[in-house]
Amino acid sequence: MKLMQKLLKILLFSLVSGTALANDCVILLHGLARISNSMSELERKLERSGYDVVNINYPSIRYEIGVLADDAVGRGISQCLMQTPKRIHFVTHSLGGILVRYYLQENELELLGRVVMLGPPNKGSEMVDGLLPVPGFGLLGPTGRVLGTEEESVLNELGPVEFELGVIAGSTSINPIGFLFIEGPHDSIVSVESTKVEGMNAHIVLPVTHTFMMRNDDVIDHAIQFLKTGQFIQE
């Protein structure tokens, strides 16, 4: 009887405090001209690994980066906080990583855990440089136009990262004109070199393409390992 009462007290304390039963929460942010469904495989596998997951959909081609960062990252944090997490992590694809950098440069997040960026154009995309003059490129909106490597790129306003970051770059190209604009190994859109950023903790290159890397099992396994340990899988 006394044991039962003790167990009930522990359970009630857990429910009231919201800490003993809390999980880490992971915010997923998709890339330019994509939707949250593109991160669905990541979402499922993260949930199976015990994380609470918030998969954010945002209008990536409609607004400028500052607006998108406040909206997408801000909503993700708000939704995670409703679940009283121990820590808040991010896994991002392409533009999603830039939004996290932009947001965290202007805002503090006390519960910030680790960040994994998949194919982030941290130094800009040479493909954007090459296609910017092409009619129709403007359909990618105000954000697409500033993701190049030129001096006016918004990326040059972002400093080194000051959070625990792991970057996964792709080295498989399915873009028949990629060699015209991008030097060195690349994922069809972003060069391996351009994914790097000062302050990152880990960087790996996998044989995947920019478009589908977020659905790749090896990429997902490495991402989960980094969230858990701060290191990618040692091979």
Side-chain angles (χ1 to χ4, degrees):
M1 186 65 177
K2 289 184 179 180
L3 177 60
M4 182 63 70
Q5 290 175 339
K6 186 175 181 180
L7 290 174
L8 285 173
K9 286 181 180 180
I10 294 173
L11 178 59
L12 287 172
F13 175 79
S14 299
L15 293 174
V16 172
S17 65
T19 57
L21 298 179
N23 293 322
D24 284 6
C25 185
V26 182
I27 298 171
L28 302 180
L29 295 172
H30 61 78
L32 183 66
R34 305 299 291 270
I35 59 175
S36 58
N37 184 59
S38 66
M39 308 289 275
S40 59
E41 189 66 17
L42 260 165
E43 181 178 10
R44 285 192 292 270
K45 292 187 176 180
L46 283 164
E47 288 176 340
R48 290 180 201 150
S49 296
Y51 293 99
D52 291 325
V53 182
V54 173
N55 192 358
I56 296 295
N57 198 59
Y58 64 95
S60 61
I61 63 174
R62 190 176 302 173
Y63 302 106
E64 296 179 352
I65 283 183
V67 175
L68 293 176
D70 287 342
D71 169 52
V73 181
R75 276 193 291 122
I77 293 172
S78 295
Q79 291 182 35
C80 270
L81 289 176
M82 292 175 63
Q83 304 179 52
T84 60
K86 291 181 293 186
R87 292 186 299 172
I88 296 177
H89 307 287
F90 292 87
V91 178
T92 68
H93 177 231
S94 195
L95 171 62
I98 306 305
L99 299 188
V100 171
R101 287 182 62 193
Y102 194 102
Y103 183 90
L104 292 178
Q105 182 171 269
E106 303 293 330
N107 303 273
E108 291 187 8
L109 178 57
E110 291 186 4
L111 295 179
L112 180 62
R114 299 184 174 112
V115 179
V116 178
M117 295 181 181
L118 314 179
N122 279 316
K123 296 179 182 176
S125 170
E126 300 92 337
M127 186 61 65
V128 171
D129 296 340
L131 296 180
L132 192 58
V134 176
F137 186 82
L139 295 175
L140 291 180
T143 294
R145 291 194 293 270
V146 298
L147 291 179
T149 64
E150 301 298 329
E151 289 186 8
E152 60 270 21
S153 171
V154 70
L155 302 174
N156 293 321
E157 301 174 8
L158 302 176
V161 299
E162 297 181 351
F163 48 83
E164 201 169 351
L165 171 65
V167 175
I168 301 178
S171 61
T172 298
S173 175
I174 55 174
N175 185 345
I177 62 171
F179 72 95
L180 295 174
F181 306 115
I182 308 176
E183 294 184 5
H186 59 90
D187 63 8
S188 298
I189 302 295
V190 180
S191 69
V192 168
E193 183 61 31
S194 289
T195 64
K196 299 175 182 178
V197 61
E198 185 179 350
M200 64 183 179
N201 300 87
H203 183 278
I204 59 170
V205 181
L206 298 177
V208 293
T209 66
H210 192 83
T211 304
F212 302 111
M213 65 191 312
M214 78 294 286
R215 297 184 181 275
N216 180 273
D217 287 335
D218 287 340
V219 169
I220 294 174
D221 289 344
H222 276 284
I224 293 174
Q225 178 72 5
F226 188 87
L227 293 184
K228 290 180 176 179
T229 68
Q231 295 181 328
F232 291 123
I233 298 170
Q234 303 301 308
E235 298 179 345

